[in-house]
Amino acid sequence: MQDASISSAPLLGIDLGTTNSLIAVWQEGRAQLIPNALGEVLTPSAVSVDEDGSILVGRAARSRLTTHPERSAAAFKRFMGSDKRFELGGQSFSPEELSALVLGALKQDAEAFLGVPVNEAVISVPAYFSDEQRKRTVFAAELAGLKVQRLINEPTAAAMAYGLHEQKFERTLIFDLGGGTFDVTVLEYSLPLIEVHASTGDNFLGGEDFTAALLQACLKDWQLDIAKIEPQALATLCDALEQLKCRLAQGPQSLSWKGAGELREWRLDESRAQSIWEPLLARLRAPIEQALRDARLSPRDLDSLVLVGGATRMPAVQQMVATLFGRLPYRHLDPDTIVALGAASQAACKARDAAIEELILTDVCPYTLGISTTRGEDVRGAFSPIIERNTVIPTSKVQRFYSTHPEQKVIRIEVYQGERPWVRDNIFIDAFEVQLPQVGRQQDLDVRFSYDINGLLEVDVTLLETGERHSHSIDRSPTGLDEQARANSRARLAALKIHPRDTLPNRALTARLERAWMHSLGEERERIGAWLDEFNAVLASQRGEEITSRRQALTRLLDELGA
Ligand code: AMP
């Protein structure tokens, strides 16, 4: 018999979030969060290039978004799957390279915590992430030296964590509003089975949009043109608005900002915020209605309502949900950490850990997948669905198609995802060609789509004339990246100098002090300036214990200031 404690690799789950990322491990029959070098479980998904060219990830990088916006980036997950590049301190990064740096930091934290090498993990993605975005996530993990054991949809991961804690739920709607994405999932618990009935969402709607709406309203009130504000002043304002948004639940808030030549004040209360956010709140309703329709349920049929994601802390969002469903949502578990805990539970499920063996999860494909065909005389490229949205996965579906004329030599299969009747309005996934035998008549062909539990697709084409079968595994590499581009990413990341993990707490404190200095004025600013000088002097002394005790004391002082 094999001793599991010797052979088993750590069972890890990662929540790679727009705003924060977390890593959890399944140990001693439960999922536990792993702290980073600062002893915190939330690692901001932010990257900054330090003045010496080294890479900072996490809290220090987030503080530097305000002090050094031209060397720092955050919320890059929103651009996963696009060609956007981020220029940081003269270096250029793709969203997946920046995500790889965050994943690499989490990997290091896990290795330091567990004392063993970490090579694989279950990683969560928004349910509504497209095929391309999933592939880029897998590629980001590969760049970080991590094999993806499975991609799990974020709301499904949350459902697993709830399933382990609560035995009483039945039909549940999970409302997951993170920093950059919104997912709605309707599922049913009949433990040990957790069955996802429908998943919908919006990949371009999250807490960041609520902050962006505040920025627009504030600049409009001040009659300022965003293009005329210098980047650092704008970053300070965005940062102050983000903090103001997060404090709004405590009552009306105000901020003061020095920029564009003046010191200005802005006040916000819940009712003004509601009116600024009305268009965003309205956008949250459509996916909820669609998920319920696809699951063939009405709000009355739901037994419970679960809120996940940091942005569900907004009273305006909670109120909208309560009004829509006529009841209060359930939020006993921390919305920030639940997805990572669920992902680690999924890793345990996959490894058939005895404590979790019982739980069985079924998920769905959240969007329709199909091919481009001609419809009647119309040659614009009609979308012919093969796997309809919210089909339980893994699934394999076949549809029969015909060549268009007897002399046709080749047939081109173009694969798309989406819900619109014409392919040009949907998302292109991949294309390939199949040679047709020349038999002098139109031919039938069966196109089979197989969609696996990671949300990845394979296509088989069978020519009925000859029985010939063409299997086409949809390219596992991201569509926009050829082998050369991927090799370049690998080389670029390998050449980077990552800031040493053991000095990160000090670097994070100096970055925080600099940010606090920027936000403050007058006496408070002088005091923070003195702390900064003092801490730099202690750092120069290189006396380890003194550095630690001053760092702890200054952290407490900054916490008291709310800076
Ligand atoms: P997540 O991706 O789940 O970490 O969610 C991050 C989003 O939650 C960001 O847009 C934050 O601004 C938002 N958020 C976190 N805490 C709060 C809060 N207390 N009030 C309002 N929004 C919050």
Side-chain angles (χ1 to χ4, degrees), residues 15 136 176 184 260 264 272 299 303 314 355 395:
D15 171 5
R136 300 251 184 163
D176 179 359
V184 183
R264 294 161 213 266
R272 173 90 202 275
D303 301 302
M314 280 185 283
T395 184

Side-chain angles (χ1 to χ4, degrees), residues 23 27 54 84 91 113 172 215 252 282 328 442 523 530 536 558:
I23 184 161
Q27 262 183 344
S54 65
K84 178 165 170 76
Q91 299 191 49
F113 182 77
T172 300
L215 175 67
L328 289 177
Q442 276 187 303
E523 271 179 30
N536 278 332
L558 284 172

Side-chain angles (χ1 to χ4, degrees), residues 233-309:
L234 186 61
T236 320
L237 178 59
C238 291
D239 196 15
L241 284 166
E242 169 70 20
Q243 291 179 34
L244 181 132
K245 178 187 81 172
C246 291
R247 283 200 303 261
L248 201 57
Q250 297 158 23
Q253 300 290 326
S254 63
L255 66 80
S256 47
W257 175 72
K258 191 152 187 253
E262 255 181 66
L263 180 65
R264 294 161 213 266
E265 283 257 339
W266 198 62
R267 283 182 59 75
L268 184 70
D269 60 20
E270 192 56 41
S271 92
R272 173 90 202 275
Q274 291 257 8
S275 76
I276 294 170
W277 290 333
E278 188 43 48
L280 295 171
L281 293 168
R283 273 174 68 196
L284 293 171
R285 277 180 212 125
I288 297 174
E289 283 157 9
Q290 193 192 73
L292 287 172
R293 225 175 13 249
D294 285 2
R296 296 188 180 79
L297 294 177
S298 77
R300 274 192 313 279
D301 300 324
L302 293 172
D303 301 302
S304 62
L305 192 60
V306 169
L307 299 190
V308 181

Side-chain angles (χ1 to χ4, degrees), residues 86-389:
F86 292 80
E87 309 297 326
L88 313 187
Q91 299 191 49
S92 173
F93 296 90
S94 65
E96 52 274 11
E97 288 167 0
L98 294 171
S99 302
L101 291 168
V102 174
L103 288 169
L106 298 175
K107 173 174 146 67
Q108 267 199 12
D109 292 333
E111 287 174 343
F113 182 77
L114 299 166
V116 292
V118 160
N119 304 311
E120 51 183 28
V122 168
I123 299 185
S124 64
V125 286
Y128 215 58
F129 243 23
S130 69
D131 189 72
E132 181 69 11
Q133 290 168 311
R134 287 167 194 266
K135 287 178 192 157
R136 300 251 184 163
T137 306
V138 172
F139 180 53
E142 182 203 314
L143 286 174
L146 282 171
K147 178 171 171 274
V148 176
Q149 283 173 304
R150 176 170 172 180
L151 293 177
I152 184 170
N153 292 332
E154 286 164 8
T156 312
M160 280 205 74
Y162 266 99
L164 291 172
H165 280 80
E166 305 290 332
Q167 307 292 313
K168 59 179 189 287
F169 290 178
E170 289 173 6
R171 275 173 294 203
T172 300
L173 183 138
I174 305 219
F175 179 105
D176 179 359
L177 188 64
T181 52
F182 174 49
D183 282 330
V184 183
T185 292
V186 176
L187 51 88
E188 190 158 354
Y189 291 92
S190 36
L191 293 173
L193 186 68
I194 303 177
E195 208 178 342
V196 176
H197 289 315
S199 249
T200 54
D202 188 332
N203 273 342
F204 298 95
L205 180 57
E208 312 284 333
D209 297 294
F210 286 74
T211 312
L214 292 184
L215 175 67
Q216 273 187 6
C218 165
L219 292 180
K220 194 163 173 224
D221 288 357
W222 290 337
Q223 298 183 333
L224 279 181
D225 178 358
I226 192 164
K228 298 206 175 113
I229 305 175
E230 57 140 22
Q232 208 180 49
L234 186 61
T236 320
L237 178 59
C238 291
D239 196 15
L241 284 166
E242 169 70 20
Q243 291 179 34
L244 181 132
K245 178 187 81 172
C246 291
R247 283 200 303 261
L248 201 57
Q250 297 158 23
Q253 300 290 326
S254 63
L255 66 80
S256 47
W257 175 72
K258 191 152 187 253
E262 255 181 66
L263 180 65
R264 294 161 213 266
E265 283 257 339
W266 198 62
R267 283 182 59 75
L268 184 70
D269 60 20
E270 192 56 41
S271 92
R272 173 90 202 275
Q274 291 257 8
S275 76
I276 294 170
W277 290 333
E278 188 43 48
L280 295 171
L281 293 168
R283 273 174 68 196
L284 293 171
R285 277 180 212 125
I288 297 174
E289 283 157 9
Q290 193 192 73
L292 287 172
R293 225 175 13 249
D294 285 2
R296 296 188 180 79
L297 294 177
S298 77
R300 274 192 313 279
D301 300 324
L302 293 172
D303 301 302
S304 62
L305 192 60
V306 169
L307 299 190
V308 181
T312 58
R313 292 213 165 88
M314 280 185 283
V317 170
Q318 290 173 17
Q319 209 169 327
M320 188 281 277
V321 172
T323 312
L324 198 64
F325 291 94
R327 78 179 79 181
L328 289 177
Y330 183 91
R331 28 180 304 133
H332 287 193
L333 299 184
D334 181 353
D336 286 329
T337 59
I338 182 163
V339 169
L341 294 173
S345 313
Q346 177 59 39
C349 245
K350 228 176 155 282
R352 300 199 170 277
D353 186 277
I356 203 172
E357 215 161 19
E358 288 297 290
L359 221 50
I360 304 160
L361 178 75
T362 71
D363 212 335
V364 295
C365 166
Y367 28 68
T368 301
L369 294 161
I371 62 170
S372 171
T373 55
T374 50
R375 190 177 290 155
E377 295 304 304
D378 203 322
V379 290
R380 280 183 297 170
F383 182 50
S384 294
I386 296 182
I387 295 178
E388 303 240 76
R389 71 165 183 263

Side-chain angles (χ1 to χ4, degrees), residues 497-560:
K497 189 166 61 138
I498 308 291
H499 197 92
R501 185 175 182 277
D502 54 352
T503 58
L504 268 180
N506 298 337
R507 193 64 195 84
L509 181 64
T510 46
R512 187 174 172 195
L513 284 164
E514 285 171 20
R515 171 172 169 265
W517 189 90
M518 264 192 81
H519 275 297
S520 56
L521 291 169
E523 271 179 30
E524 185 174 290
R525 178 175 263 196
E526 273 177 37
R527 203 163 358 132
I528 293 168
W531 292 343
L532 188 57
D533 293 342
E534 176 196 326
F535 191 56
N536 278 332
V538 177
L539 281 180
S541 77
Q542 298 191 353
R543 286 191 292 272
E545 274 181 24
E546 202 178 325
I547 293 174
T548 308
S549 80
R550 272 328 279 155
R551 189 178 67 230
Q552 287 165 348
L554 288 173
T555 302
R556 272 195 301 278
L557 288 169
L558 284 172
D559 287 347
E560 279 162 21

